[in-house]
Amino acid sequence: MNYKIRSIRADEWAAAKELRLVALQDPVAHLAFLETYDTALAQPDSFYQERAVGAAEGAEKAQQVIAEGPDGEWVGTVTVLLEEAGTVDWAGFAVERKQGHLVGVFVRPEVRGIGLTEVLFDAALEWAWGRGVERVRLIVHEDNERARRFYGKIGFVPTGVTVPLGGNADERELEMVVERP
């Protein structure tokens, strides 16, 4: 595999924006992301600049890891957010212990199946473990079978916690975690 796995730099916001927009056009984006392509496209550049600064190499509360192809094209990404004990998460649930939260998982279709997602996850988990988290979690839509199978294969297990999706009481997302080794 001739891909470089690394954290983004703050000045790479335009590439991060471009990859996010590609991800939001994926056929399962409606199951995997909490925003639409149109919403993301409408965001000003300052939104992406701030997001990149907050998740760039050296940032303390988040890290965006990318897979960069031999030609420099970004072909995959995952972001890990730190959640501190005693706070409330994005869904309104109490955070009981220091943990990482993986979000924004995406690998371009043309390079899926070659192990990039595993390597991205390894880098994200290493960053989180290095910050003293007790576990790392992710939230996956109950109908996203491909993602759920992958997460299980690499060691994430369901906790039984479900997160209702905003406008549709019939749809839920499931929490999966991996404990610190």
Side-chain angles (χ1 to χ4, degrees), residues 9-152:
R9 294 185 308 270
D11 65 348
E12 294 178 310
W13 65 269
K17 174 184 177 181
E18 187 270 334
L19 189 59
R20 179 68 172 187
L21 293 174
V22 169
L24 290 170
Q25 295 175 73
D26 189 89
V28 296
H30 67 287
L31 297 178
F33 299 101
L34 296 177
E35 75 177 329
T36 66
Y37 174 81
D38 291 336
T39 301
L41 186 62
Q43 293 288 357
D45 287 346
S46 59
F47 172 83
Y48 290 98
Q49 291 164 349
E50 290 172 24
R51 181 182 262 186
V53 167
E57 187 175 58
E60 292 299 317
K61 296 185 183 205
Q63 199 74 181
Q64 183 176 0
V65 179
I66 54 111
E68 183 176 13
D71 60 356
E73 180 182 37
W74 290 12
V75 296
T77 186
V78 62
T79 299
V80 60
L81 311 172
L82 291 185
E83 297 176 328
E84 296 291 339
T87 63
V88 176
D89 71 9
W90 63 274
F93 292 102
V95 176
E96 296 176 5
R97 54 188 170 155
K98 187 174 184 178
Q99 62 190 12
H101 185 161
L102 297 178
V103 298
V105 179
F106 176 73
V107 172
R108 291 179 188 263
E110 62 271 20
V111 294
R112 289 181 185 155
I114 65 169
L116 283 177
T117 310
E118 289 92 335
V119 177
L120 285 165
F121 269 59
D122 287 346
L125 290 171
E126 181 180 325
W127 185 85
W129 301 142
R131 268 113 197 112
V133 303
E134 296 179 37
R135 70 181 197 157
V136 174
R137 72 179 184 145
L138 53 82
I139 308 294
V140 60
H141 193 284
E142 63 186 346
D143 293 338
N144 194 342
E145 287 294 327
R146 182 184 78 200
R148 288 175 53 199
R149 276 192 312 275
F150 170 76
Y151 300 144

